[in-house]
Amino acid sequence: MLECPKCSGTLRAIPGSYACQECGQTYPTHKDIALMGGSVSYWDIIPKKIMMEFLTEAEKNGWEKAIKESREQRIRELYLWTNNPSRSDITYYLPITDKSSVLDLGSGWGSYAFPLSKRVKSVVAADSCLESLKFINLRSTQDNIHNIIPVHMDPLDNGKLPFKSEMFDAVIMNGVLEWVGSYSKKGDPRKIQQNCLREAYRVLKRGGKLVIGMENRFGFKYFAGAPDDHLIYYSRDKKVAYTSILPRIIANIVTKMRLGVSYRTYTHSMNGHMKMLRRSGFGKIDFYYPEDGYRAVNTRIIPIPSASADRAMMKRYGNNSVFRFLGAIMGKHYFCDSFFIIGERTS
Amino acid sequence: MIPQIKKEITGMALFNKCRHDNILFEKYASRSIRGSELEIITLKATFTDKGSEVRSIIVKFPRIFNSSAALRTLQNEYDNLHIVEKLLAGTELAGSPPNALFLKTINAAPVLAVEFLQGKCLSNLLFSSDIFNKFMTYSPEVLSWLRSFQELTRQCGQHPLKDHLDMLADFHKEQFPNFAISDGIKIGQIKKLFHELPSINTACQHNDFHADNIFISPDGRLRLIDWEDFSEKSIPSFDAIHFIATFIDALFLILKNSGRLTAIEQINSDENWKKCFEEYFEFCMSSLNIPKGLREVIIPIYLLQSIYLASDERKKASAAISKLNFLLSTFPISISDLAESLELYHISDSQSGNKQKARLIDKISDRLSSADILKQLKF
């Protein structure tokens, strides 16, 4: 399943590491986690120090107790997100079976990997944050789950997935694609994202599907002044609005002035996604509107375009004359706040 | 999972052999009172033609495919829909439950398909700005349906109610041995009272009869979904009490969630509301011919039966059980008592309702003739 990120050579498992049969590069393992990434990256909503303390606690007293009884409110709040399988309900839209292999790219705390592990043959939980993978590994051991394979890899900006071609029946990228391009700080984020999608396409089997969960660049809440969901991570105090709907060049000036950083967390419209996915090779693309957001638990998931989605959008924004005007031109669903997108590798 | 279901239903006469791409699946938001392992995923599958919706069905399957409890839930619903369909065939209530279309294994998961009910959900109609008048408008219609249902199902599965009550009391005592009411004289009192009644039998009840499960069809008829808890052996008038109790509960919950705790108190002290609930309750009791002796203890019995239903392996609704146990411990006798107990439940975890809480505890303590059970409750 794994291949050398440097030369695409086949990797052979040897005690304590993997070795490339072509270039001889070795990749160590850490407690069942294959360390395929060379760069050190930490990304989590929990600061690293607190995360490390939590992992020690989880190892000692069990992951569930450690979350529920944590002194840190931020950790306690994670329980619902970590332990509620409904967050991954979009995966019921995939044709996966108990014989399927799934790649969860940017697996975080495993909110997709754990529910999926009960329905498929194996789930590869891949992330550039080693601490999150340590949590997944710990929880798998404690819950007696044997089909989740944690893989540490470089951030997706680096352009090469450490997996062989046509390995997976499904690839999940939930709340991930918009961050691709923000790690490297240079190059066009759109091109970096495009390259990442090509890699996702490469590792999918024919007929396999890619799931993307992401905010809509033209979500109506942004027209109404909601702050950019991704810029909050750069500064919790300075809320920056309208950036997603502005031309990228202007958004870049705004974020440099307000936050001192370039604008690199690109989200896309329906058309934008269509173009990127088609250019990456995906043949059939379906869109869904998660009514409470793609990260929500127990959300209603409505196919778009559909009369049902239009009704749901009217219920939410129907009182706003700007929405009614824009909706009449482009279609109401065009302005839903976030998407699930399923792209199929048809050839 | 959904692509496999799509493949299965494509070509069925049901969808008039429609094209694969023309079936859209919408996943409904689920209520999360149950453990996630036992949860059932509900979808609306709609066949569209040139963008317009032609026909819809409801499809359900378990979140965890091999969950035996979830399978039993689907099997119960499928079986009960057939039982009720037969019971009501050729009567004025025929067509009240949706048609069961199939229960089959697809991709190693049991999948239940039922008819999609057109119309408006009663909870959407009730919970509007004009809630008082809406309740007055729709509740007689609800009672009329319940009365007809009772008449039409009178002959089936009758058992002595006192045996059922003994079972409920024993179940409660066994499940909650530390619960004050199980050891106290209250259950004994209920049983004694009940044993003195002339013989009454159990009744057929939907057992989950609340506004979310009731639909008003475009032709104005009442239609009901979620028949998984239907039983021929239930408490007479259980559905009627459940309808009122869940309405009051939902109303209080909405007010609590919007931070309007004093509004809950206002409702309970508002004579119009009180009269509305009490009169409707009395009207239910007389319409459903509930004998006087039973009326006096019907609320605690309703709570016992609710705890029994919520404790089922299929549900394990622990939050609901502890809430019902709390309500039972306050020993409500009338529907107004139950409304006060619900008020106390909703304000019990709030900082701002201390004065309100003290008033209610005083009031409820008067209701309890023996041990001061409320003192054992953690506030």
Side-chain angles (χ1 to χ4, degrees), chain A residues 260-277:
Chain A
V261 295
S262 304
Y263 183 67
R264 300 189 65 82
T265 45
Y266 283 17
T267 51
H268 306 280
S269 64
M270 268 182 93
N271 288 347
H273 276 292
M274 286 284 247
K275 271 187 211 162
M276 280 182 52
L277 286 163

mmCIF file with all atom_site columns, all heavy atoms in Angstrom, chain A residues 260-277:
data_model
loop_
_atom_site.group_PDB
_atom_site.id
_atom_site.type_symbol
_atom_site.label_atom_id
_atom_site.label_alt_id
_atom_site.label_comp_id
_atom_site.label_asym_id
_atom_site.label_entity_id
_atom_site.label_seq_id
_atom_site.pdbx_PDB_ins_code
_atom_site.Cartn_x
_atom_site.Cartn_y
_atom_site.Cartn_z
_atom_site.occupancy
_atom_site.B_iso_or_equiv
_atom_site.pdbx_formal_charge
_atom_site.auth_seq_id
_atom_site.auth_comp_id
_atom_site.auth_asym_id
_atom_site.auth_atom_id
_atom_site.pdbx_PDB_model_num
ATOM 1   N N   . GLY A 1 260 ? -1.452  40.421 8.662   1.00 0.00 ? 260 GLY A N   1
ATOM 2   C CA  . GLY A 1 260 ? -0.019  40.295 8.368   1.00 0.00 ? 260 GLY A CA  1
ATOM 3   C C   . GLY A 1 260 ? 0.342   38.988 7.687   1.00 0.00 ? 260 GLY A C   1
ATOM 4   O O   . GLY A 1 260 ? 1.502   38.580 7.687   1.00 0.00 ? 260 GLY A O   1
ATOM 5   N N   . VAL A 1 261 ? -0.647  38.311 7.120   1.00 0.00 ? 261 VAL A N   1
ATOM 6   C CA  . VAL A 1 261 ? -0.372  37.057 6.402   1.00 0.00 ? 261 VAL A CA  1
ATOM 7   C C   . VAL A 1 261 ? -1.022  37.098 5.024   1.00 0.00 ? 261 VAL A C   1
ATOM 8   O O   . VAL A 1 261 ? -1.977  37.851 4.810   1.00 0.00 ? 261 VAL A O   1
ATOM 9   C CB  . VAL A 1 261 ? -0.899  35.795 7.150   1.00 0.00 ? 261 VAL A CB  1
ATOM 10  C CG1 . VAL A 1 261 ? -0.173  35.579 8.459   1.00 0.00 ? 261 VAL A CG1 1
ATOM 11  C CG2 . VAL A 1 261 ? -2.405  35.888 7.370   1.00 0.00 ? 261 VAL A CG2 1
ATOM 12  N N   . SER A 1 262 ? -0.483  36.281 4.118   1.00 0.00 ? 262 SER A N   1
ATOM 13  C CA  . SER A 1 262 ? -1.089  36.205 2.781   1.00 0.00 ? 262 SER A CA  1
ATOM 14  C C   . SER A 1 262 ? -2.400  35.427 2.867   1.00 0.00 ? 262 SER A C   1
ATOM 15  O O   . SER A 1 262 ? -2.582  34.602 3.761   1.00 0.00 ? 262 SER A O   1
ATOM 16  C CB  . SER A 1 262 ? -0.165  35.469 1.817   1.00 0.00 ? 262 SER A CB  1
ATOM 17  O OG  . SER A 1 262 ? 1.082   36.097 1.797   1.00 0.00 ? 262 SER A OG  1
ATOM 18  N N   . TYR A 1 263 ? -3.263  35.675 1.904   1.00 0.00 ? 263 TYR A N   1
ATOM 19  C CA  . TYR A 1 263 ? -4.532  34.924 1.856   1.00 0.00 ? 263 TYR A CA  1
ATOM 20  C C   . TYR A 1 263 ? -4.302  33.631 1.081   1.00 0.00 ? 263 TYR A C   1
ATOM 21  O O   . TYR A 1 263 ? -4.085  33.655 -0.131  1.00 0.00 ? 263 TYR A O   1
ATOM 22  C CB  . TYR A 1 263 ? -5.616  35.770 1.176   1.00 0.00 ? 263 TYR A CB  1
ATOM 23  C CG  . TYR A 1 263 ? -6.951  35.086 1.150   1.00 0.00 ? 263 TYR A CG  1
ATOM 24  C CD1 . TYR A 1 263 ? -7.642  34.858 2.342   1.00 0.00 ? 263 TYR A CD1 1
ATOM 25  C CD2 . TYR A 1 263 ? -7.521  34.647 -0.034  1.00 0.00 ? 263 TYR A CD2 1
ATOM 26  C CE1 . TYR A 1 263 ? -8.862  34.214 2.339   1.00 0.00 ? 263 TYR A CE1 1
ATOM 27  C CE2 . TYR A 1 263 ? -8.745  34.015 -0.047  1.00 0.00 ? 263 TYR A CE2 1
ATOM 28  C CZ  . TYR A 1 263 ? -9.411  33.796 1.134   1.00 0.00 ? 263 TYR A CZ  1
ATOM 29  O OH  . TYR A 1 263 ? -10.607 33.163 1.140   1.00 0.00 ? 263 TYR A OH  1
ATOM 30  N N   . ARG A 1 264 ? -4.318  32.509 1.807   1.00 0.00 ? 264 ARG A N   1
ATOM 31  C CA  . ARG A 1 264 ? -3.976  31.243 1.135   1.00 0.00 ? 264 ARG A CA  1
ATOM 32  C C   . ARG A 1 264 ? -5.002  30.124 1.383   1.00 0.00 ? 264 ARG A C   1
ATOM 33  O O   . ARG A 1 264 ? -4.864  29.034 0.831   1.00 0.00 ? 264 ARG A O   1
ATOM 34  C CB  . ARG A 1 264 ? -2.583  30.769 1.594   1.00 0.00 ? 264 ARG A CB  1
ATOM 35  C CG  . ARG A 1 264 ? -1.472  31.782 1.268   1.00 0.00 ? 264 ARG A CG  1
ATOM 36  C CD  . ARG A 1 264 ? -0.109  31.220 1.532   1.00 0.00 ? 264 ARG A CD  1
ATOM 37  N NE  . ARG A 1 264 ? 0.218   30.100 0.672   1.00 0.00 ? 264 ARG A NE  1
ATOM 38  C CZ  . ARG A 1 264 ? 0.674   30.211 -0.581  1.00 0.00 ? 264 ARG A CZ  1
ATOM 39  N NH1 . ARG A 1 264 ? 0.853   31.400 -1.108  1.00 0.00 ? 264 ARG A NH1 1
ATOM 40  N NH2 . ARG A 1 264 ? 0.949   29.138 -1.289  1.00 0.00 ? 264 ARG A NH2 1
ATOM 41  N N   . THR A 1 265 ? -5.975  30.378 2.239   1.00 0.00 ? 265 THR A N   1
ATOM 42  C CA  . THR A 1 265 ? -6.970  29.321 2.507   1.00 0.00 ? 265 THR A CA  1
ATOM 43  C C   . THR A 1 265 ? -8.133  29.490 1.520   1.00 0.00 ? 265 THR A C   1
ATOM 44  O O   . THR A 1 265 ? -9.170  30.028 1.862   1.00 0.00 ? 265 THR A O   1
ATOM 45  C CB  . THR A 1 265 ? -7.468  29.404 3.965   1.00 0.00 ? 265 THR A CB  1
ATOM 46  O OG1 . THR A 1 265 ? -7.747  30.778 4.264   1.00 0.00 ? 265 THR A OG1 1
ATOM 47  C CG2 . THR A 1 265 ? -6.447  28.867 4.938   1.00 0.00 ? 265 THR A CG2 1
ATOM 48  N N   . TYR A 1 266 ? -7.902  28.979 0.336   1.00 0.00 ? 266 TYR A N   1
ATOM 49  C CA  . TYR A 1 266 ? -8.883  29.171 -0.748  1.00 0.00 ? 266 TYR A CA  1
ATOM 50  C C   . TYR A 1 266 ? -10.064 28.203 -0.609  1.00 0.00 ? 266 TYR A C   1
ATOM 51  O O   . TYR A 1 266 ? -9.875  26.997 -0.511  1.00 0.00 ? 266 TYR A O   1
ATOM 52  C CB  . TYR A 1 266 ? -8.230  28.915 -2.113  1.00 0.00 ? 266 TYR A CB  1
ATOM 53  C CG  . TYR A 1 266 ? -7.349  30.034 -2.642  1.00 0.00 ? 266 TYR A CG  1
ATOM 54  C CD1 . TYR A 1 266 ? -6.873  31.048 -1.814  1.00 0.00 ? 266 TYR A CD1 1
ATOM 55  C CD2 . TYR A 1 266 ? -7.000  30.065 -3.989  1.00 0.00 ? 266 TYR A CD2 1
ATOM 56  C CE1 . TYR A 1 266 ? -6.057  32.051 -2.317  1.00 0.00 ? 266 TYR A CE1 1
ATOM 57  C CE2 . TYR A 1 266 ? -6.187  31.074 -4.503  1.00 0.00 ? 266 TYR A CE2 1
ATOM 58  C CZ  . TYR A 1 266 ? -5.709  32.062 -3.654  1.00 0.00 ? 266 TYR A CZ  1
ATOM 59  O OH  . TYR A 1 266 ? -4.908  33.037 -4.149  1.00 0.00 ? 266 TYR A OH  1
ATOM 60  N N   . THR A 1 267 ? -11.245 28.791 -0.629  1.00 0.00 ? 267 THR A N   1
ATOM 61  C CA  . THR A 1 267 ? -12.446 27.970 -0.774  1.00 0.00 ? 267 THR A CA  1
ATOM 62  C C   . THR A 1 267 ? -12.966 28.206 -2.195  1.00 0.00 ? 267 THR A C   1
ATOM 63  O O   . THR A 1 267 ? -12.477 29.108 -2.881  1.00 0.00 ? 267 THR A O   1
ATOM 64  C CB  . THR A 1 267 ? -13.520 28.358 0.258   1.00 0.00 ? 267 THR A CB  1
ATOM 65  O OG1 . THR A 1 267 ? -13.713 29.769 0.213   1.00 0.00 ? 267 THR A OG1 1
ATOM 66  C CG2 . THR A 1 267 ? -13.089 27.954 1.665   1.00 0.00 ? 267 THR A CG2 1
ATOM 67  N N   . HIS A 1 268 ? -13.948 27.430 -2.614  1.00 0.00 ? 268 HIS A N   1
ATOM 68  C CA  . HIS A 1 268 ? -14.394 27.533 -4.005  1.00 0.00 ? 268 HIS A CA  1
ATOM 69  C C   . HIS A 1 268 ? -15.912 27.495 -4.102  1.00 0.00 ? 268 HIS A C   1
ATOM 70  O O   . HIS A 1 268 ? -16.592 26.980 -3.213  1.00 0.00 ? 268 HIS A O   1
ATOM 71  C CB  . HIS A 1 268 ? -13.808 26.382 -4.835  1.00 0.00 ? 268 HIS A CB  1
ATOM 72  C CG  . HIS A 1 268 ? -12.313 26.322 -4.716  1.00 0.00 ? 268 HIS A CG  1
ATOM 73  N ND1 . HIS A 1 268 ? -11.475 27.147 -5.426  1.00 0.00 ? 268 HIS A ND1 1
ATOM 74  C CD2 . HIS A 1 268 ? -11.517 25.564 -3.918  1.00 0.00 ? 268 HIS A CD2 1
ATOM 75  C CE1 . HIS A 1 268 ? -10.224 26.891 -5.090  1.00 0.00 ? 268 HIS A CE1 1
ATOM 76  N NE2 . HIS A 1 268 ? -10.222 25.934 -4.178  1.00 0.00 ? 268 HIS A NE2 1
ATOM 77  N N   . SER A 1 269 ? -16.386 28.010 -5.209  1.00 0.00 ? 269 SER A N   1
ATOM 78  C CA  . SER A 1 269 ? -17.823 27.956 -5.492  1.00 0.00 ? 269 SER A CA  1
ATOM 79  C C   . SER A 1 269 ? -18.132 26.591 -6.107  1.00 0.00 ? 269 SER A C   1
ATOM 80  O O   . SER A 1 269 ? -17.222 25.790 -6.356  1.00 0.00 ? 269 SER A O   1
ATOM 81  C CB  . SER A 1 269 ? -18.182 29.058 -6.487  1.00 0.00 ? 269 SER A CB  1
ATOM 82  O OG  . SER A 1 269 ? -17.500 28.787 -7.707  1.00 0.00 ? 269 SER A OG  1
ATOM 83  N N   . MET A 1 270 ? -19.395 26.354 -6.412  1.00 0.00 ? 270 MET A N   1
ATOM 84  C CA  . MET A 1 270 ? -19.761 25.097 -7.088  1.00 0.00 ? 270 MET A CA  1
ATOM 85  C C   . MET A 1 270 ? -19.022 24.983 -8.415  1.00 0.00 ? 270 MET A C   1
ATOM 86  O O   . MET A 1 270 ? -18.450 23.939 -8.732  1.00 0.00 ? 270 MET A O   1
ATOM 87  C CB  . MET A 1 270 ? -21.269 25.047 -7.354  1.00 0.00 ? 270 MET A CB  1
ATOM 88  C CG  . MET A 1 270 ? -22.053 24.375 -6.262  1.00 0.00 ? 270 MET A CG  1
ATOM 89  S SD  . MET A 1 270 ? -23.788 24.323 -6.673  1.00 0.00 ? 270 MET A SD  1
ATOM 90  C CE  . MET A 1 270 ? -23.907 22.727 -7.454  1.00 0.00 ? 270 MET A CE  1
ATOM 91  N N   . ASN A 1 271 ? -19.035 26.082 -9.182  1.00 0.00 ? 271 ASN A N   1
ATOM 92  C CA  . ASN A 1 271 ? -18.359 26.054 -10.485 1.00 0.00 ? 271 ASN A CA  1
ATOM 93  C C   . ASN A 1 271 ? -16.863 25.836 -10.321 1.00 0.00 ? 271 ASN A C   1
ATOM 94  O O   . ASN A 1 271 ? -16.245 25.094 -11.096 1.00 0.00 ? 271 ASN A O   1
ATOM 95  C CB  . ASN A 1 271 ? -18.604 27.362 -11.250 1.00 0.00 ? 271 ASN A CB  1
ATOM 96  C CG  . ASN A 1 271 ? -20.025 27.447 -11.761 1.00 0.00 ? 271 ASN A CG  1
ATOM 97  O OD1 . ASN A 1 271 ? -20.739 26.437 -11.757 1.00 0.00 ? 271 ASN A OD1 1
ATOM 98  N ND2 . ASN A 1 271 ? -20.438 28.625 -12.177 1.00 0.00 ? 271 ASN A ND2 1
ATOM 99  N N   . GLY A 1 272 ? -16.288 26.510 -9.323  1.00 0.00 ? 272 GLY A N   1
ATOM 100 C CA  . GLY A 1 272 ? -14.860 26.379 -9.061  1.00 0.00 ? 272 GLY A CA  1
ATOM 101 C C   . GLY A 1 272 ? -14.480 24.938 -8.751  1.00 0.00 ? 272 GLY A C   1
ATOM 102 O O   . GLY A 1 272 ? -13.487 24.406 -9.270  1.00 0.00 ? 272 GLY A O   1
ATOM 103 N N   . HIS A 1 273 ? -15.280 24.290 -7.916  1.00 0.00 ? 273 HIS A N   1
ATOM 104 C CA  . HIS A 1 273 ? -15.015 22.878 -7.581  1.00 0.00 ? 273 HIS A CA  1
ATOM 105 C C   . HIS A 1 273 ? -15.133 21.992 -8.813  1.00 0.00 ? 273 HIS A C   1
ATOM 106 O O   . HIS A 1 273 ? -14.323 21.094 -9.027  1.00 0.00 ? 273 HIS A O   1
ATOM 107 C CB  . HIS A 1 273 ? -15.996 22.394 -6.513  1.00 0.00 ? 273 HIS A CB  1
ATOM 108 C CG  . HIS A 1 273 ? -15.573 22.740 -5.125  1.00 0.00 ? 273 HIS A CG  1
ATOM 109 N ND1 . HIS A 1 273 ? -14.477 22.172 -4.525  1.00 0.00 ? 273 HIS A ND1 1
ATOM 110 C CD2 . HIS A 1 273 ? -16.093 23.595 -4.224  1.00 0.00 ? 273 HIS A CD2 1
ATOM 111 C CE1 . HIS A 1 273 ? -14.341 22.668 -3.306  1.00 0.00 ? 273 HIS A CE1 1
ATOM 112 N NE2 . HIS A 1 273 ? -15.301 23.533 -3.098  1.00 0.00 ? 273 HIS A NE2 1
ATOM 113 N N   . MET A 1 274 ? -16.174 22.267 -9.592  1.00 0.00 ? 274 MET A N   1
ATOM 114 C CA  . MET A 1 274 ? -16.397 21.465 -10.802 1.00 0.00 ? 274 MET A CA  1
ATOM 115 C C   . MET A 1 274 ? -15.163 21.513 -11.697 1.00 0.00 ? 274 MET A C   1
ATOM 116 O O   . MET A 1 274 ? -14.665 20.486 -12.145 1.00 0.00 ? 274 MET A O   1
ATOM 117 C CB  . MET A 1 274 ? -17.599 22.008 -11.589 1.00 0.00 ? 274 MET A CB  1
ATOM 118 C CG  . MET A 1 274 ? -18.916 21.696 -10.984 1.00 0.00 ? 274 MET A CG  1
ATOM 119 S SD  . MET A 1 274 ? -19.352 19.985 -11.281 1.00 0.00 ? 274 MET A SD  1
ATOM 120 C CE  . MET A 1 274 ? -20.712 20.197 -12.340 1.00 0.00 ? 274 MET A CE  1
ATOM 121 N N   . LYS A 1 275 ? -14.669 22.741 -11.904 1.00 0.00 ? 275 LYS A N   1
ATOM 122 C CA  . LYS A 1 275 ? -13.519 22.919 -12.788 1.00 0.00 ? 275 LYS A CA  1
ATOM 123 C C   . LYS A 1 275 ? -12.310 22.168 -12.247 1.00 0.00 ? 275 LYS A C   1
ATOM 124 O O   . LYS A 1 275 ? -11.635 21.431 -12.977 1.00 0.00 ? 275 LYS A O   1
ATOM 125 C CB  . LYS A 1 275 ? -13.178 24.417 -12.893 1.00 0.00 ? 275 LYS A CB  1
ATOM 126 C CG  . LYS A 1 275 ? -13.898 25.134 -13.988 1.00 0.00 ? 275 LYS A CG  1
ATOM 127 C CD  . LYS A 1 275 ? -13.338 26.550 -14.105 1.00 0.00 ? 275 LYS A CD  1
ATOM 128 C CE  . LYS A 1 275 ? -14.436 27.485 -14.567 1.00 0.00 ? 275 LYS A CE  1
ATOM 129 N NZ  . LYS A 1 275 ? -14.137 28.878 -14.305 1.00 0.00 ? 275 LYS A NZ  1
ATOM 130 N N   . MET A 1 276 ? -12.023 22.362 -10.954 1.00 0.00 ? 276 MET A N   1
ATOM 131 C CA  . MET A 1 276 ? -10.836 21.734 -10.368 1.00 0.00 ? 276 MET A CA  1
ATOM 132 C C   . MET A 1 276 ? -10.926 20.209 -10.424 1.00 0.00 ? 276 MET A C   1
ATOM 133 O O   . MET A 1 276 ? -9.956  19.523 -10.731 1.00 0.00 ? 276 MET A O   1
ATOM 134 C CB  . MET A 1 276 ? -10.660 22.183 -8.917  1.00 0.00 ? 276 MET A CB  1
ATOM 135 C CG  . MET A 1 276 ? -10.023 23.548 -8.849  1.00 0.00 ? 276 MET A CG  1
ATOM 136 S SD  . MET A 1 276 ? -9.717  24.171 -7.203  1.00 0.00 ? 276 MET A SD  1
ATOM 137 C CE  . MET A 1 276 ? -8.871  22.944 -6.394  1.00 0.00 ? 276 MET A CE  1
ATOM 138 N N   . LEU A 1 277 ? -12.113 19.695 -10.101 1.00 0.00 ? 277 LEU A N   1
ATOM 139 C CA  . LEU A 1 277 ? -12.264 18.235 -10.079 1.00 0.00 ? 277 LEU A CA  1
ATOM 140 C C   . LEU A 1 277 ? -12.181 17.658 -11.487 1.00 0.00 ? 277 LEU A C   1
ATOM 141 O O   . LEU A 1 277 ? -11.581 16.614 -11.708 1.00 0.00 ? 277 LEU A O   1
ATOM 142 C CB  . LEU A 1 277 ? -13.574 17.843 -9.392  1.00 0.00 ? 277 LEU A CB  1
ATOM 143 C CG  . LEU A 1 277 ? -13.550 18.007 -7.866  1.00 0.00 ? 277 LEU A CG  1
ATOM 144 C CD1 . LEU A 1 277 ? -14.950 18.020 -7.273  1.00 0.00 ? 277 LEU A CD1 1
ATOM 145 C CD2 . LEU A 1 277 ? -12.737 16.889 -7.205  1.00 0.00 ? 277 LEU A CD2 1
#
